[in-house]
Amino acid sequence: MNSKTVALIALFTVQLLYGFNYTIAKQLMNTGGVSPDALVVFRVAGAAILFWLFGLFYKGEKIERKDFLTLFFAALFGVGINMILYLKGLELTTPIHASVISTIIPILILVLSAFFLNEKLTKLKILGVILGFAGGVLLTILGKSTRTADNVLLGNIFVFLNALFYSGYVILVKKLTAKYHPFSFIKWLFLIGIFIVVPFGYQDTLTIDYHAFDGYAWFLISFVVLGATFGTYFLNPLALRSLKASTVGIFVYLQPVIAGIFALATGKDSINIIKILAMFLIFFGVYLVTKKPKIASTPNPNL
């Protein structure tokens, strides 16, 4: 099996894990007695332990002292604030809403890159940004949930903010990935992340009735920690080493498809025309943003 095939399998597995996680994490928070803040602590602390254990076998580059400030803000945006907002939003909205809004990340990265990295915005990309945001607004304002306890508007706003902070994390981490292999600094991201999220979720982790957990509840928690956190952060770098960014971008579209099928199959969500229309607007907007401009052909003077 060649490296590209392995990378494709790894990338598909990442989308599968993320797609399942929308429903599984929501179930833990809504009916499993685990608050969003407590689940964040489980995710970050569990993944940190696993990555440091992995670091015993993988000897990466030594992180220079001057790069720890960038690491701190990357952990703040990409591990701390990002995960807290994501789980708080998912608790209030539906798996399909959350997964569709998350696909707006490439658009947010483009906008932030234009401001902070001076990347050029073409008319086509601006149109993509407008369509993507229109889909997000449509889903947020008119979207509904089958659970009466949900607050879709607030939940969607939290998920959008999560996507915004994650996009900021991607901008920050670009400098680190140019200098180090991701396996060299991911363990530091999660270690720093522990100190960021514990103040928010420490009390909630103490008040959980662990004696009430059955084997299924522990399986769900294990999936969120091992699969949707450690597994995805572990497999993504493997995929990115052998695949083009455009290929990775296409695979992101699988997340809401997998999340939607899984949520519908388990009876945790429903589909309607508003969700379909919003999905189309966001998907088409992301397509325009990630579409490479055609290079005009130069006439051959010898013809």
Side-chain angles (χ1 to χ4, degrees):
M1 192 178 293
N2 58 43
S3 60
K4 187 174 181 180
T5 302
V6 172
L8 287 169
I9 293 172
L11 188 56
F12 177 77
T13 303
V14 167
Q15 310 314 318
L16 201 65
L17 292 170
Y18 275 139
F20 286 173
N21 190 57
Y22 288 100
T23 296
I24 290 173
K26 183 171 177 64
Q27 183 176 345
L28 272 171
M29 293 182 293
N30 289 156
T31 61
V34 181
S35 73
D37 291 338
L39 192 53
V40 170
V41 172
F42 290 154
R43 290 188 71 180
V44 177
I49 293 170
L50 292 170
F51 275 117
W52 279 91
L53 288 174
F54 174 74
L56 298 175
F57 304 95
Y58 175 83
K59 301 298 180 184
E61 306 97 326
K62 184 178 180 181
I63 307 297
E64 294 182 20
R65 184 178 296 180
K66 64 180 181 180
D67 291 323
F68 274 96
L69 182 61
T70 304
L71 267 174
F72 169 77
F73 283 105
L76 179 66
F77 287 3
V79 176
I81 299 175
N82 161 53
M83 287 192 183
I84 291 171
L85 286 171
Y86 164 72
L87 289 176
K88 283 186 178 293
L90 184 59
E91 182 191 29
L92 298 172
T93 188
T94 76
I96 292 178
H97 281 205
S99 60
V100 170
I101 291 175
S102 293
T103 60
I104 210 169
I105 287 174
I107 294 176
L108 295 172
I109 291 174
L110 173 74
V111 174
L112 292 176
S113 297
F115 281 100
F116 297 105
L117 300 179
N118 296 319
E119 292 189 9
K120 188 178 179 181
L121 275 176
T122 64
K123 291 181 180 179
L124 198 63
K125 292 183 185 297
I126 292 173
L127 176 61
V129 170
I130 294 171
L131 289 176
F133 278 110
V137 170
L138 179 67
L139 197 62
T140 298
I141 294 175
L142 299 181
K144 298 184 183 299
S145 171
T146 54
R147 260 177 43 97
T148 54
D150 284 345
N151 184 337
V152 172
L153 176 60
L154 184 59
N156 286 356
I157 290 172
F158 280 156
V159 174
F160 174 80
L161 291 174
N162 139 71
L164 181 62
F165 277 100
Y166 182 81
S167 301
Y169 156 78
V170 172
I171 300 296
L172 284 170
V173 91
K174 271 189 175 183
K175 294 181 180 179
L176 295 174
T177 52
K179 193 172 183 179
Y180 309 104
H181 189 283
F183 288 157
S184 299
F185 64 80
I186 284 177
K187 60 182 182 181
W188 287 105
L189 282 177
F190 278 91
L191 181 62
I192 296 169
I194 290 176
F195 295 96
I196 295 171
V197 302
V198 163
F200 294 93
Y202 173 72
Q203 191 61 42
D204 284 359
T205 58
L206 294 181
T207 57
I208 292 174
D209 183 8
Y210 293 99
H211 296 292
F213 281 8
D214 56 14
Y216 182 63
W218 284 114
F219 167 75
L220 295 181
I221 292 174
S222 298
F223 175 86
V224 173
V225 175
L226 289 171
T229 311
F230 174 76
T232 54
Y233 276 81
F234 180 86
L235 292 173
N236 251 329
L238 295 180
L240 289 169
R241 292 184 72 184
S242 304
L243 298 174
K244 295 179 180 179
S246 58
T247 303
V248 175
I250 291 171
F251 268 73
V252 172
Y253 287 102
L254 286 175
Q255 269 189 51
V257 175
I258 294 170
I261 292 172
F262 187 64
L264 292 172
T266 55
K268 303 298 182 183
D269 206 345
S270 62
I271 195 74
N272 57 41
I273 189 63
I274 296 297
K275 292 178 183 178
I276 294 172
L277 181 57
M279 194 180 300
F280 171 78
L281 287 172
I282 293 175
F283 280 15
F284 190 57
V286 173
Y287 167 75
L288 293 179
V289 163
T290 56
K291 182 178 172 62
K292 291 184 178 179
K294 291 183 178 181
I295 302 174
S297 58
T298 305
N300 189 335
N302 297 317
L303 292 179

